[in-house]
């Protein structure tokens, strides 16, 4: 400080003030530089941390993608059933219903039994041969409208209503129908109820009555359609396997009345 006083002619007080000012200025400059360096280091560390996290995320994601792809591949392979290398195809191939009928079952919708009869399966085979593979039609699934192959959305013009089937057609058709119900995703209790329903119809004492088979076919057609309609609506749904003999008698009287009316008109 004495040297500063001699060089500048400052008093003691002025020299002290000058030194304090110089120290503050230098300290501020050094602090500012330190803060800048600290910010630069923090930014570099943050950038490095971000890079490290991204690398870890990529490493964690890559195996997940591989696992998902492997899982999808396993699911695709699981759809192929194993086969017996020592068994050849049978002497006859079972007729297959139309894709329209199969689509109805998949959507849990009412479908006429005729599609599962021998005549219905043969009609499906003829239709399949004549339809173009790129023909599509519109269908509604829930609230969505989508394009489907025409064969899966178009009813056959040859379809016969259940009550107009022959007893032999009904006998074959309901068995084929149940087989495809079992293969689909229908709940077991619903499939079993339908199976019991058809067994009750075929074993009913009405079979031996005059026009009894016609009454049974009409009862089966009306009750099954009503059961399916109630499945889509609200409220309690009845057990279709429990035959209502009073309703069956009513249907039988209705059939007899129609037959009498036709005879009187002849």
């Amino acid at each position: 400080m004495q040297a500063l006083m001699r060089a500048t002619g400052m008093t003691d007080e002025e020299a002290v003030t000058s030194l304090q000012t110089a120290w503050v200025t230098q300290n501020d400059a050094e602090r500012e530089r330190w803060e800048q360096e600290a910010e630069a280091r923090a930014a570099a560390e943050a950038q490095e941390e971000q890079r490290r996290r991204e690398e870890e995320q990529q490493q964690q994601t890559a195996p997940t993608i591989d696992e998902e792809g492997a899982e999808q591949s396993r699911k695709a392979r699981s759809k192929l059933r194993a086969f017996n290398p020592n068994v050849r195809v049978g002497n006859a191939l079972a007729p297959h219903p139309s894709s329209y009928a199969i689509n109805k079952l998949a959507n849990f919708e009412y479908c006429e039994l005729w599609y599962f009869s021998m005549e219905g399966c043969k009609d499906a085979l003829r239709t399949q041969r004549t339809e173009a593979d790129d023909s599509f039609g519109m269908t509604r699934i829930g609230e969505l409208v989508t394009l489907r192959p025409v064969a899966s959305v178009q009813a056959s013009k040859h379809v016969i209503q259940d009550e107009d089937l022959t007893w032999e057609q009904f006998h074959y058709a309901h068995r084929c129908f149940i087989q495809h119900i079992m293969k689909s995703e229908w709940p077991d209790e619903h499939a079993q109820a339908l199976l019991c329903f058809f067994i009750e119809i075929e074993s009913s004492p009405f079979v031996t009555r005059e026009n009894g088979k016609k009454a049974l076919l009409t009862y089966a057609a009306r009750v099954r359609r009503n059961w399916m309609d109630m499945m889509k609506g609200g409220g309690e749904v009845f057990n279709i396997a429990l035959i209502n003999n009073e309703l069956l008698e009513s249907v039988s009287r209705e059939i007899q009345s129609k037959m009498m009316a036709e005879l009187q008109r002849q």
Side-chain angles (χ1 to χ4, degrees):
M1 187 176 67
Q2 295 295 331
L4 179 61
M5 292 171 61
R6 286 195 299 270
T8 59
M10 294 180 179
T11 63
D12 291 347
E13 185 178 353
E14 289 174 340
V16 171
T17 301
S18 178
L19 289 174
Q20 289 176 343
T21 301
W23 182 86
V24 171
T25 301
Q26 183 179 0
N27 186 66
D28 289 344
E30 290 178 355
R31 184 171 61 250
E32 183 178 356
R33 184 175 67 255
W34 181 85
E35 291 176 351
Q36 291 175 352
E37 292 175 353
E39 291 177 357
R41 286 194 301 271
E45 291 175 356
Q47 187 175 3
E48 176 64 20
E49 178 66 16
Q50 178 66 21
R51 184 190 64 79
R52 186 182 61 79
R53 289 180 180 178
E54 291 177 354
E55 288 181 354
E56 290 179 354
Q57 186 175 5
Q58 290 176 356
Q59 292 174 357
Q60 294 174 357
T61 304
T64 301
I65 294 175
D66 293 341
E67 290 173 3
E68 290 177 355
E71 180 64 21
Q72 291 177 355
S73 178
R74 284 193 294 271
K75 288 181 178 179
R77 289 196 300 271
S78 67
K79 293 181 181 180
L80 292 175
R81 296 180 59 192
F83 65 93
N84 190 330
N86 300 317
V87 176
R88 63 172 57 89
V89 65
N91 295 331
L93 298 177
H96 196 277
S98 67
S99 53
Y100 168 82
I102 300 301
N103 188 49
K104 284 286 189 179
L105 293 188
N107 291 326
F108 306 106
E109 296 177 356
Y110 176 85
C111 184
E112 292 82 358
L113 289 177
W114 175 85
Y115 287 101
F116 301 88
S117 67
M118 292 292 293
E119 294 79 6
C121 293
K122 291 178 180 178
D123 180 76
L125 183 59
R126 287 193 300 268
T127 303
Q128 189 177 35
R129 289 172 177 171
T130 58
E131 285 181 344
D133 293 339
D134 57 352
S135 297
F136 288 85
M138 299 182 69
T139 184
R140 180 179 295 276
I141 301 178
E143 297 181 354
L144 299 178
V145 176
T146 183
L147 286 175
R148 290 286 186 88
V150 168
S152 67
V153 299
Q154 189 174 64
S156 172
K157 61 183 178 181
H158 302 119
V159 64
I160 299 175
Q161 298 302 310
D162 285 10
E163 56 265 36
D164 297 324
L165 293 173
T166 66
W167 192 250
E168 290 71 22
Q169 285 176 323
F170 173 79
H171 175 81
Y172 178 89
H174 81 71
R175 282 166 169 74
C176 182
F177 175 80
I178 289 296
Q179 288 176 0
H180 284 85
I181 284 288
M182 295 291 191
K183 293 178 183 178
S184 67
E185 297 181 354
W186 280 55
D188 289 341
E189 60 179 350
H190 293 70
Q192 290 298 325
L194 283 168
L195 175 60
C196 293
F197 171 69
F198 290 128
I199 291 175
E200 289 291 331
I201 293 295
E202 280 202 317
S203 61
S204 171
F206 270 74
V207 172
T208 59
R209 287 194 187 186
E210 182 181 2
N211 297 318
K213 291 180 179 178
K214 179 63 177 177
L216 287 167
L217 290 172
T218 303
Y219 173 92
R222 293 178 182 178
V223 171
R224 188 168 70 88
R225 182 180 289 276
N226 183 251
W227 189 65
M228 293 299 302
D229 289 343
M230 292 185 69
M231 287 291 178
K232 298 289 185 177
E236 187 178 31
V237 181
F238 60 88
N239 183 358
I240 192 173
L242 300 178
I243 303 299
N244 187 327
N245 289 314
E246 184 176 345
L247 176 60
L248 183 54
E249 289 283 1
S250 175
V251 171
S252 178
R253 289 192 295 271
E254 178 187 334
I255 299 296
Q256 293 290 359
S257 296
K258 288 182 179 180
M259 294 292 183
M260 293 297 295
E262 290 178 1
L263 288 175
Q264 292 176 358
R265 285 195 296 268
Q266 293 177 356

